[in-house]
Amino acid sequence: MAVRFDIITIFPGMFSSVVSESIVGRAVKSGLVEINRVDLRDFTEDKHRSVDDRPYGGGPGMVFKPEPVFDAVENVLGEVGSSAEPGIRKIILTPQGRRLDQPLMRELSGESRIVLLCGHYEGFDHRIVEGLGFEEVSIGDYVLSGGELPAMVLIDGVVRLLPGALGHPESSEQESFENGVLDFPQYTRPPEYRGMKVPEVLLSGNHAEIEQWRHERALERTRASRGDLLEKLELQETGQELDNT
Ligand code: 6GU
């Protein structure tokens, strides 16, 4: 199913590489994905084309004004309410949002239309969130200078899940996070390089043993760098056991 992204941003030029290169570039060329960039400054009316203003109550920084954002969103979607519409997601990229993870990527890959609003400065006038029904999404616990790179992260993660976007249909189902753990280590030829050998079991042709080895390495890696994922997995499994009794 095709997806359309509308990106509302003050830096539309930043998206040129994602729309033309790699997996997303190919999906755009083949018509699987449509990406519409909207320059927020086209919806300003003053001669400085200002999109932001000082915060009520004082404090440093600037806040995105409601008028240009409401106009841009209504130009893209028509009259919009604050309630959810089927097939349409309205997302603000901001460090205050819910964390983007693989389940959310999967969920979004089932939508037909995704409107992305890229934040800047000290954020948005909150009436934008409430009045237009936006959900807030963050890509992690660090601060970036704007929502453009996070929007590109979201687009890339969603597009590669669309049927037909990757070379191998099953490759997105076998990777890190899809089953709650990280990927096992991979090797290719040559069997020995600078004295480092490919693990014997991978050359054995014994598929059951290879499977077992990969499972163990995946758990080992996850335990070493992402113990939080294993805890989540254990909680899920205990939950399922409780459901079954
Ligand atoms: Cl979505 N925006 C900004 N500005 N910083 C971030 C972020 C988003 N997610 C993590 N850091």
Side-chain angles (χ1 to χ4, degrees):
M1 199 182 64
V3 180
R4 174 181 166 127
F5 291 94
D6 298 281
I7 309 162
I8 301 171
T9 168
I10 54 174
F11 297 119
M14 282 183 77
F15 292 85
S16 297
S17 52
V18 259
V19 304
S20 61
E21 308 271 354
S22 189
I23 303 280
V24 177
R26 207 173 59 198
V28 169
K29 281 184 201 99
S30 73
L32 191 58
V33 173
E34 195 182 334
I35 298 182
N36 174 37
R37 290 179 268 175
V38 177
D39 188 341
L40 187 60
R41 292 198 198 277
D42 289 346
F43 297 88
T44 55
E45 276 159 14
D46 62 310
K47 75 169 195 281
H48 300 293
R49 310 227 293 161
S50 47
V51 293
D52 58 337
D53 206 340
R54 298 198 316 276
Y56 276 126
M62 300 287 271
V63 174
F64 265 156
K65 296 150 61 69
E67 304 92 318
V69 177
F70 272 74
D71 289 350
V73 172
E74 284 173 356
N75 184 266
V76 159
L77 289 180
E79 278 297 305
V80 283
S82 59
S83 55
E85 289 137 87
I88 303 183
R89 294 289 280 257
K90 290 169 273 180
I91 294 172
I92 293 185
L93 284 312
T94 151
Q96 276 72 49
R98 144 187 193 192
R99 180 116 55 106
L100 181 60
D101 57 10
Q102 195 62 14
L104 181 54
M105 292 283 197
R106 277 247 167 244
E107 195 183 311
L108 294 174
S109 70
E111 307 287 6
S112 54
R113 202 128 182 226
I114 302 174
V115 180
L116 299 174
L117 177 55
C118 305
H120 271 270
Y121 319 118
E122 293 303 309
F124 294 90
D125 184 303
H126 198 62
R127 289 168 291 188
I128 292 167
V129 180
E130 289 181 335
L132 292 170
F134 271 90
E135 49 191 310
E136 297 172 289
V137 170
S138 159
I139 62 165
D141 296 341
Y142 39 80
V143 179
L144 301 171
S145 58
E148 281 76 13
L149 289 168
M152 292 183 226
V153 167
L154 185 151
I155 292 169
D156 185 278
V158 168
V159 168
R160 60 190 298 291
L161 294 177
L162 299 174
L166 293 183
H168 309 281
E170 74 281 17
S171 37
S172 81
E173 278 149 36
Q174 291 187 1
E175 60 199 6
S176 291
F177 304 114
E178 285 292 342
N179 43 18
V181 295
L182 303 179
D183 252 355
F184 47 79
Q186 297 274 23
Y187 294 87
T188 185
R189 289 182 292 180
E192 183 174 339
Y193 182 69
R194 299 196 178 191
M196 297 177 284
K197 290 193 170 121
V198 173
E200 204 68 46
V201 58
L202 297 178
L203 311 175
S204 70
N206 184 329
H207 292 290
E209 275 182 28
I210 291 172
E211 200 63 20
Q212 176 67 20
W213 181 88
R214 286 179 162 173
H215 180 66
E216 285 165 7
R217 296 294 85 69
L219 285 178
E220 203 172 81
R221 265 189 169 180
T222 311
R223 192 172 300 119
S225 57
R226 292 295 306 276
D228 59 310
L229 291 178
L230 284 186
E231 273 167 40
K232 236 196 262 176
L233 210 59
E234 278 158 21
L235 281 177
Q236 271 172 16
E237 279 163 10
T238 340
Q240 273 161 13
E241 278 159 33
L242 288 177
D243 289 344
N244 292 340
T245 53

